[in-house]
Amino acid sequence: MKKLALSLFPVVFCLLLPLFLVGCGETEVKQVSEYSLDIAMAEDCKSLFAVEQINYVNNSENSLKEIRFHLYANAFREEAKSSPVSVSEKTEAYPNGDSFGQIDIKNVYYSQGNLDFQIGGEDYNILIVTLPEELFPEEIFSLSIDFEVSLANVHHRLGYGDNTVNCANFYPIACVYKEGDGWSESLYHSNGDPFYSDVANYEVKITYPSSYSLASTGKVTNQEEGEESVTHIEASMVRDFAFVLSQKFDKVSQMVGDVTVTYYGYVGDQNLNSCLDTSVRAFQYFCEKFGDYPYKNLSVVKSNFVYGGMEFPNLVLISDTSFEQTDFDYVIVHEIAHQWWYGLVGNDEYNYAWQDESLTEFSTWLFFKDNSGYGLDYNALVENATNSYKYFVKVYTQILGSVDTSIERPLDQFETQPEYAQCVYTKGALMFATMQEMVGEKKMNRAMQSYFEKFAYQNPSPADLIATFNKATGYNLEGFFRSWLDGKVVIE
């Protein structure tokens, strides 16, 4: 989730046994692909070189003649068609003026030699690797990719600022392949989070200057110190891998059962412990509310980031832009809720952003409903969201003559960032709040728990979510969902 500071104004394995079936509740996950990354950061941490080895599992029902990978880093190219930053946020995102970065694929090869490849897609955003022979269902193909990434001076998921170096969505990651649809190749877009991936296993080695500290997805298995730091990390059954480097980190940690929750702030911050406390409370709440967190670490990381926050497996970014502690707490809670909605229960965020964002925003409201010490009343949050949405519709109608209020549409069909935020976050959360009022809190809890238990580690469709909620609540909610998602509901 990429989001604005939203508190009172919503616009604004099971550890993996590699290559075996994994059961978690009702979930059954097929064997998963494996990524090994050997990353060397440049001395100034403004670029990196990496060798990536992939054991790709064909989990489709079709034979494949090629494998396609997202090259999200190319969205930061000077010639990119689709900017990762909207016009309204450009000045804040690029504090020192325009800056550009990209990924350069040096070589693609396997055990018997080089592989043919090309950079394609709508905007040089897809790596297409031709296989030496057809890859049949359940077969595995191993390949390696040598690549280099130059980072833009941008406060974003991938880029560097004065305080942090953010490295997310920086490596070639396999596109999702679905029968009937083929490869999912959506462009990077400034609206929302344009990502969609299957869970996989990661082994990562990162070499970086010893003056920096590291926060990352996964668990550190070995740490070597010297003129350079070398960190070895393992992450099982995660949707992707991200890390952050900083020379300014100060951190505090707390064990919650067998999980280490860590808050990374900056040296001199006075709110380290209060931010850790919010992180721990949110983590405990969502474990109890939805289901157990299957990993050993959760890192909440203050960073140079133009939006309020962003979620990655075991790692969330919280913008270091100055705003009130209440807003800071709100973003922490929202991002941690994403560990369940998108992190564990995945979805196609480009085409169906509401599946994780609307449910996550509603989950955030539930946290404050049951944790009154933050001064954020659930009923007030619902009322403020309602008023904010009504104001948005009124203003846009006056200016444009009409406004599309549908929730379910691809990211590129939202004309502006406020339209996206109001429809997906605000109206989407109000949809779930209205549903809870209709079916009751007990059945709503059961529905969310059932959705998590059934689809952890998977990418359910909107139809899967609706069917699960129908069964768990005993209501036929198809018409309810469609009226909200298609924009037929008028909030007055």
Side-chain angles (χ1 to χ4, degrees):
M1 156 238 155
K2 171 189 73 179
K3 82 188 297 273
L4 308 175
L6 291 174
S7 66
L8 299 180
F9 188 47
V11 56
V12 154
F13 16 18
C14 303
L15 285 180
L16 175 82
L17 299 176
L19 303 182
F20 289 88
L21 294 180
V22 176
C24 185
E26 297 180 41
T27 302
E28 186 176 90
V29 180
K30 296 179 180 179
Q31 57 185 346
V32 300
S33 297
E34 297 180 330
Y35 293 78
S36 174
L37 288 161
D38 189 343
I39 303 163
M41 300 298 300
E43 187 175 354
D44 61 3
C45 284
K46 295 179 181 179
S47 64
L48 63 87
F49 180 82
V51 177
E52 177 179 14
Q53 296 179 320
I54 306 147
N55 295 327
Y56 178 83
V57 182
N58 181 4
N59 275 319
S60 77
E61 296 177 2
N62 298 335
S63 62
L64 303 176
K65 297 181 179 180
E66 62 187 24
I67 305 174
R68 298 193 172 210
F69 298 85
H70 290 286
L71 299 178
Y72 290 122
N74 269 347
F76 295 87
R77 293 165 32 252
E78 185 172 8
E79 306 85 4
K81 295 178 181 178
S82 182
S83 172
V85 179
S86 65
V87 173
S88 60
E89 280 91 27
K90 187 173 181 180
T91 299
E92 185 179 352
Y94 294 93
N96 299 311
D98 287 347
S99 180
F100 305 101
Q102 65 183 45
I103 182 170
D104 182 15
I105 304 299
K106 300 294 187 181
N107 195 19
V108 183
Y109 51 98
Y110 74 128
S111 60
Q112 298 182 39
N114 291 334
L115 291 166
D116 291 333
F117 71 91
Q118 59 179 310
I119 310 300
E122 293 182 59
D123 194 20
Y124 296 96
N125 60 313
I126 302 295
L127 169 64
I128 306 167
V129 178
T130 302
L131 298 176
E133 57 185 28
E134 283 188 90
L135 185 67
F136 291 96
E138 300 184 6
E139 288 187 340
I140 302 170
F141 183 77
S142 299
L143 70 156
S144 297
I145 304 171
D146 297 346
F147 65 94
E148 186 173 3
V149 176
S150 57
L151 303 179
N153 180 198
V154 59
H155 295 179
H156 217 287
R157 301 179 185 96
L158 179 61
Y160 68 90
D162 291 338
N163 298 320
T164 62
V165 178
N166 299 341
C167 292
N169 315 115
F170 65 94
Y171 60 95
I173 185 170
C175 302
V176 173
Y177 184 91
K178 291 183 66 176
E179 287 75 23
D181 297 330
W183 299 98
S184 176
E185 301 180 31
S186 298
L187 283 173
Y188 209 116
H189 201 280
S190 60
N191 289 333
D193 307 329
F195 309 117
Y196 184 27
S197 59
D198 292 316
V199 295
N201 295 331
Y202 287 82
E203 288 190 2
V204 181
K205 173 187 173 185
I206 308 174
T207 303
Y208 53 97
S210 58
S211 59
Y212 285 80
S213 297
L214 171 75
S216 76
T217 296
K219 182 179 180 179
V220 174
T221 57
N222 189 47
Q223 182 75 39
E224 303 166 23
E225 300 292 350
E227 291 186 5
E228 292 183 312
S229 295
V230 181
T231 302
H232 298 258
I233 302 163
E234 290 182 357
S236 298
M237 297 295 282
V238 294
R239 209 157 290 283
D240 56 10
F241 180 88
F243 66 96
V244 181
L245 292 166
S246 178
Q247 294 175 310
K248 299 182 179 181
F249 277 154
D250 191 5
K251 67 179 182 179
V252 285
S253 299
Q254 182 175 327
M255 292 296 297
V256 182
D258 61 352
V259 178
T260 303
V261 178
T262 303
Y263 175 75
Y264 291 78
Y266 301 154
V267 173
D269 285 355
Q270 300 300 307
N271 64 346
L272 291 177
N273 289 317
S274 63
C275 290
L276 176 63
D277 183 68
T278 298
S279 302
V280 167
R281 287 175 182 270
F283 175 77
Q284 291 174 317
Y285 179 81
F286 294 128
C287 282
E288 295 170 1
K289 192 77 172 175
F290 305 135
D292 290 340
Y293 180 83
Y295 310 112
K296 298 299 182 184
N297 299 277
L298 174 62
S299 297
V300 179
V301 184
K302 185 177 179 180
S303 65
N304 290 130
F305 189 59
V306 64
Y307 302 103
M310 182 65 206
E311 74 282 357
F312 301 99
N314 322 143
L315 174 77
V316 299
L317 304 185
I318 309 297
S319 175
D320 60 7
T321 302
S322 297
F323 49 91
E324 297 295 324
Q325 185 63 43
T326 299
D327 297 315
F328 211 80
D329 288 331
Y330 192 99
V331 175
I332 289 173
V333 174
H334 181 106
E335 299 308 331
I336 290 177
H338 265 300
Q339 293 299 305
W340 282 259
W341 313 130
Y342 180 68
L344 282 158
V345 179
N347 60 288
D348 179 348
E349 291 188 294
Y350 192 92
N351 291 297
Y352 308 108
W354 70 270
Q355 266 189 270
D356 67 301
E357 290 298 355
S358 301
L359 193 54
T360 295
E361 186 74 343
F362 174 64
S363 300
T364 306
W365 294 356
L366 293 179
F367 171 85
F368 290 109
K369 178 178 182 293
D370 295 328
N371 291 268
S372 59
Y374 292 89
L376 294 176
D377 178 73
Y378 174 83
N379 292 327
L381 288 170
V382 173
E383 182 180 356
N384 289 334
T386 302
N387 292 336
S388 175
Y389 176 78
K390 288 162 61 176
Y391 183 74
F392 150 75
V393 172
K394 179 181 178 180
V395 171
Y396 268 54
T397 302
Q398 288 175 344
I399 295 173
L400 303 175
S402 64
V403 58
D404 185 349
T405 62
S406 63
I407 298 171
E408 187 175 274
R409 44 185 155 138
L411 296 181
D412 62 350
Q413 292 184 20
F414 293 96
E415 295 296 329
T416 64
Q417 182 76 19
E419 181 181 311
Y420 164 76
Q422 285 288 0
C423 291
V424 173
Y425 289 83
T426 311
K427 188 179 183 183
L430 289 170
M431 173 180 70
F432 284 110
T434 303
M435 184 185 302
Q436 175 164 284
E437 186 176 343
M438 182 176 72
V439 306
E441 188 171 345
K442 183 176 181 180
K443 290 184 177 179
M444 194 67 177
N445 288 342
R446 185 188 306 153
M448 290 187 288
Q449 290 167 2
S450 297
Y451 184 53
F452 174 73
E453 290 171 1
K454 187 172 184 178
F455 292 109
Y457 307 116
Q458 300 183 61
N459 285 312
S461 67
D464 291 325
L465 183 151
I466 294 170
T468 303
F469 274 58
N470 285 346
K471 183 177 181 180
T473 63
Y475 285 73
N476 184 347
L477 297 168
E478 178 72 33
F480 175 91
F481 273 108
R482 290 269 51 102
S483 62
W484 282 81
L485 296 175
D486 296 343
K488 297 174 184 176
V489 167
V490 177
I491 298 175
E492 296 179 340

